Amino acid sequence: MGDRVQHKKPSMSAEAREWLEQETDAQERRYAGIVAEQEALTPDREQWYAQFLEIVSTRGFNVTGDQRRVIPEDELPTRPDRDDAMNVVW
Amino acid sequence: MTRPHIEPYVELNEDYKAFGLPGFTGSDFKTLSLDPETGACSLKVRFNAGYSRKPGMSYSDMELFVLGGTMQLGDQVIGEGHYLFVPAGMALPAITSEDGCETLVFFNDAEPHWQESDEHHELTLKAGYVSLNTYKDAPWSGGSIVSPSVATGCMIKLLRYDPLTEAMTFLYCMTPEFMQDNISYHDCGEESYHIWGTSWMMQFGDLPTGGYFWRPPYINHGSFRSKLGCIALGRTDSKLHNYFHFNPWTNPSENLHRAASMLYRQRPQLFKWVAAHGGHNHPHGPVGQTAAVAPTDVAPTDVAPNDFEHVDYGDDPQVQMLANQVMRFLEADRSGHHHHHDD
Ligand SMILES: [Fe+2]
């Protein structure tokens, strides 16, 4: 195995370290904002999921490309009794 | 450490910040996502009118996509739709922007790093350099470069492909009234920036112009719609396989188990080798073990992974036959390589 340029990198400068810390903090706030925003969408999402199950059981589910399979009623999933069931941001 | 799940994030609503790191003075930036440990990041960077820097190199692979405006790169003028992949250690000529330009900039290995140099680092993998105008010099092709495939109406232009990891950078578009009625997830991290237009996913809602996501592996996304069409820059960090299904409530762990079950069924010898050599002290791997429920005398890695979709797949005769096969070379491999801590 040969060496790579990346392995020769000088360690992070103090300036870069500070930049990274600031941006990491900002990203944590951004993440928290996204989680809150997405939680607020839950009522819409419940409808979207219901519409989706309606579509895959009538017009069909895209197996690959444009190939569709109509999902029989007894194969349709049901919402599990679990705290993270409506999570979309992980 | 890795980047968190940032989805969706609409950067147009945020302000630019002055960029003070070497090589970037005279530009402004917004962070789209970053790895808190390595500093690897995706940024939107605005090079302001009059920006200039000397020839230089980075110790990280770098990608750049021009959203608008022009930039002088040595004796070349690059503009809207231009894409660069610059391998770590490759010196770029001087860069100036007389009238300014807006770009996406990706540092794949480390923080935004640049140092003045007019010579390539001796270890640079210069053959990886890519420079092309993606709008003018690359055709749209059907989205079915991988199978299972997206629906017709989602097209791509592959810009860069890493032969070691199968990481890709690509443009993609969706035609007006595009629809794809399935839920997708992948083994890879997936990233996208919407250059123009809006698409919709039933988890996250609308992703408009300026919308961005960094999505870690095994996270559900889709079904998909685009009312009026969109064009976006996409990237993956390794191989993209479309795992499609129709259960909106699965979590990333269930999705991963299902992916593992597919490896078990579809690449049985590889699954056994990985299970045997994967650092779990199991020199014998799951040979012959097909039950979907763990017998008490067999370690968990010896068991067929759970598949929420095909719960009883372990009973399938073909799956059982495949699981019971022992390749002669695999036997030799086993007796010859006991470098794991199995006592
Ligand atoms: Fe995807």
Side-chain angles (χ1 to χ4, degrees):
Chain A
M1 283 297 280
D3 244 334
R4 292 289 189 267
V5 177
Q6 286 89 334
H7 300 150
K8 306 292 182 190
K9 182 178 176 292
S11 57
M12 212 181 280
S13 68
E15 190 184 14
R17 173 67 56 196
E18 193 189 330
W19 180 88
L20 182 54
E21 281 168 11
Q22 282 173 8
E23 291 308 306
T24 299
D25 290 349
Q27 178 166 261
E28 278 169 18
R29 289 193 296 275
R30 197 177 310 130
Y31 177 82
I34 290 169
V35 169
E37 245 173 57
Q38 290 297 309
E39 265 174 30
L41 266 181
T42 304
D44 291 324
R45 186 175 298 116
E46 280 168 351
Q47 288 185 14
W48 296 338
Y49 286 5
Q51 284 162 5
F52 172 73
L53 294 177
E54 169 74 22
I55 289 169
V56 299
S57 56
T58 52
R59 199 187 314 139
F61 156 78
N62 284 83
V63 178
T64 175
D66 304 319
Q67 191 184 316
R68 285 182 185 259
R69 179 168 90 89
V70 175
I71 307 300
E73 202 79 7
D74 64 353
E75 275 187 51
L76 288 178
T78 51
R79 180 174 164 170
D81 181 20
R82 209 172 54 197
D83 286 348
D84 68 5
M86 290 306 286
N87 262 30
V88 295
V89 182
W90 300 89
Chain B
M1 209 58 178
T2 181
R3 305 189 203 193
H5 185 194
I6 299 292
E7 178 171 26
Y9 172 55
V10 185
E11 59 84 12
L12 293 180
N13 304 334
E14 306 295 324
D15 294 328
Y16 274 113
K17 294 188 254 188
F19 211 169
L21 292 179
F24 289 96
T25 41
S27 75
D28 300 317
F29 78 101
K30 303 178 192 187
T31 295
L32 301 174
S33 68
L34 93 177
D35 180 326
E37 197 168 290
T38 63
C41 57
S42 304
L43 310 171
K44 187 177 188 193
V45 178
R46 179 175 66 194
F47 294 92
N48 294 311
Y51 170 87
S52 142
R53 85 173 173 202
K54 295 183 167 151
M57 58 152 268
S58 175
Y59 280 92
S60 167
D61 287 348
M62 198 267 299
E63 295 175 71
L64 182 144
F65 185 85
V66 181
L67 293 165
T70 59
M71 169 184 272
Q72 185 90 26
L73 177 68
D75 54 12
Q76 190 187 13
V77 177
I78 65 173
E80 187 182 26
H82 203 97
Y83 169 75
L84 296 177
F85 178 87
V86 186
M90 184 179 155
L92 284 178
I95 295 176
T96 57
S97 184
E98 203 175 318
D99 300 319
C101 63
E102 277 199 311
T103 64
L104 300 173
V105 175
F106 306 92
F107 282 91
N108 296 344
D109 308 302
E111 82 281 3
H113 174 271
W114 178 87
Q115 70 184 43
E116 193 180 331
S117 173
D118 53 12
E119 278 177 17
H120 304 312
H121 192 285
E122 58 179 358
L123 295 174
T124 191
L125 301 174
K126 200 167 166 266
Y129 182 64
V130 179
S131 171
L132 87 157
N133 189 302
T134 65
Y135 291 171
K136 293 174 181 161
D137 298 329
W140 287 113
S141 45
S144 54
I145 54 163
V146 292
S147 182
S149 143
V150 293
T152 300
C154 179
M155 285 166 280
I156 81 147
K157 300 187 184 201
L158 184 60
L159 309 181
R160 187 216 165 218
Y161 169 83
D162 185 313
L164 292 182
T165 61
E166 298 200 24
M168 295 188 293
T169 302
F170 51 96
L171 276 182
Y172 67 96
C173 70
M174 294 176 188
T175 57
E177 296 295 357
F178 176 75
M179 61 174 75
Q180 184 179 309
D181 290 308
N182 55 30
I183 301 166
S184 183
Y185 64 85
H186 318 292
D187 306 294
C188 59
E190 189 174 35
E191 180 179 30
S192 167
Y193 178 86
H194 263 218
I195 298 165
W196 178 87
T198 301
S199 70
W200 175 91
M201 284 174 280
M202 77 167 173
Q203 293 76 13
F204 311 104
D206 281 335
L207 192 70
T209 301
Y212 169 83
F213 62 79
W214 174 277
R215 182 191 306 124
Y218 302 112
I219 292 174
N220 283 338
H221 54 288
S223 57
F224 308 85
R225 291 285 185 278
S226 183
K227 182 73 190 158
L228 298 174
C230 64
I231 178 168
L233 185 76
R235 302 201 314 154
T236 68
D237 61 5
S238 51
K239 186 179 178 65
L240 180 138
H241 177 86
N242 290 316
Y243 296 93
F244 293 140
H245 67 102
F246 50 87
N247 187 336
W249 297 289
T250 62
N251 62 31
S253 171
E254 289 172 304
N255 290 346
L256 183 148
H257 283 249
R258 173 171 172 261
S261 81
M262 289 160 83
L263 191 66
Y264 181 96
R265 297 193 295 265
Q266 296 164 6
R267 299 183 180 185
Q269 298 309 319
L270 181 61
F271 180 92
K272 278 185 271 198
W273 189 92
V274 172
H277 296 266
H280 298 289
N281 296 344
H282 292 295
H284 304 297
V287 174
Q289 178 55 53
T290 56
V293 178
T296 50
D297 59 338
V298 180
T301 50
D302 292 357
V303 172
N306 286 326
D307 181 346
F308 64 80
E309 192 174 50
H310 300 288
V311 178
D312 300 325
Y313 76 92
D315 298 335
D316 182 272
Q318 278 298 312
V319 170
Q320 289 183 352
M321 193 179 77
L322 288 164
N324 281 308
Q325 285 174 345
V326 180
M327 302 297 139
R328 292 179 63 166
F329 75 86
L330 198 62
E331 283 285 88
D333 194 40
R334 240 183 243 131
S335 50
H337 290 82
H338 276 201
H339 53 260
H340 287 273
H341 328 279
D342 44 303
D343 23 283

